[in-house]
Amino acid sequence: MTVKEYLGDEIDIEHYYRHARNYSRRAIFTVYEPSPTVRGVNRPVPPNYQQNHLDSTSPTSVRPLTSFERSRIQTFPATWNWGSNIRDRNSKVEMLIGNAVPVKLATIIGKGIVNASSV
């Protein structure tokens, strides 16, 4: 599923920046493809970023996903209480989002464990 298919009207951009582990990797993605792994860091485009040949657009026209958008990609409910303002950049919240098992995946795994243990 693409980011746009999942988030629908919750996201109003076509391209976004995801900080790569090193500059030889792609960092700019389109919402019309599945999301790469959501990491525990969420940085802006560095001023010295050299466009990768796989990037989907120019780095000057993108922004990183917000904490809220990233949490939604991890399938947290829109109403999830993070204990702080999710719309503000907060490194603790970013780390929680990046380290989380996607909620819907955890639900499926949990149901599988319950079903297996009742057999």
Side-chain angles (χ1 to χ4, degrees):
M1 175 178 284
T2 70
V3 171
K4 186 66 175 175
E5 286 170 335
Y6 183 70
L7 295 180
D9 292 337
E10 292 182 51
I11 193 158
D12 61 357
I13 57 173
E14 290 196 22
H15 303 275
Y16 62 93
Y17 176 78
R18 176 193 164 267
H19 193 71
R21 290 179 186 254
N22 64 57
Y23 290 133
S24 66
R25 294 185 176 187
R26 175 182 179 199
I28 300 173
F29 298 84
T30 174
V31 297
Y32 301 107
E33 63 185 306
S35 171
T37 301
V38 176
R39 296 182 54 217
V41 296
N42 192 23
R43 299 181 183 140
V45 181
N48 61 341
Y49 178 73
Q50 297 294 314
Q51 187 168 1
N52 184 289
H53 71 284
L54 296 173
D55 286 342
S56 57
T57 192
S58 164
T60 59
S61 63
V62 298
R63 64 166 175 82
L65 294 174
T66 65
S67 299
F68 179 76
E69 291 163 341
R70 295 175 70 231
S71 74
R72 295 292 294 131
I73 288 171
Q74 288 285 70
T75 69
F76 282 93
T79 58
W80 187 263
N81 181 359
W82 291 97
S84 67
N85 186 349
I86 188 73
R87 300 192 191 277
D88 291 340
R89 206 173 284 281
N90 178 323
S91 61
K92 288 182 183 178
V93 170
E94 295 296 342
M95 190 63 73
L96 288 170
I97 293 167
N99 287 337
V101 173
V103 176
K104 290 185 178 181
L105 175 60
T107 301
I108 291 168
I109 291 169
K111 287 178 181 177
I113 292 169
V114 168
N115 290 340
S117 64
S118 65
V119 174

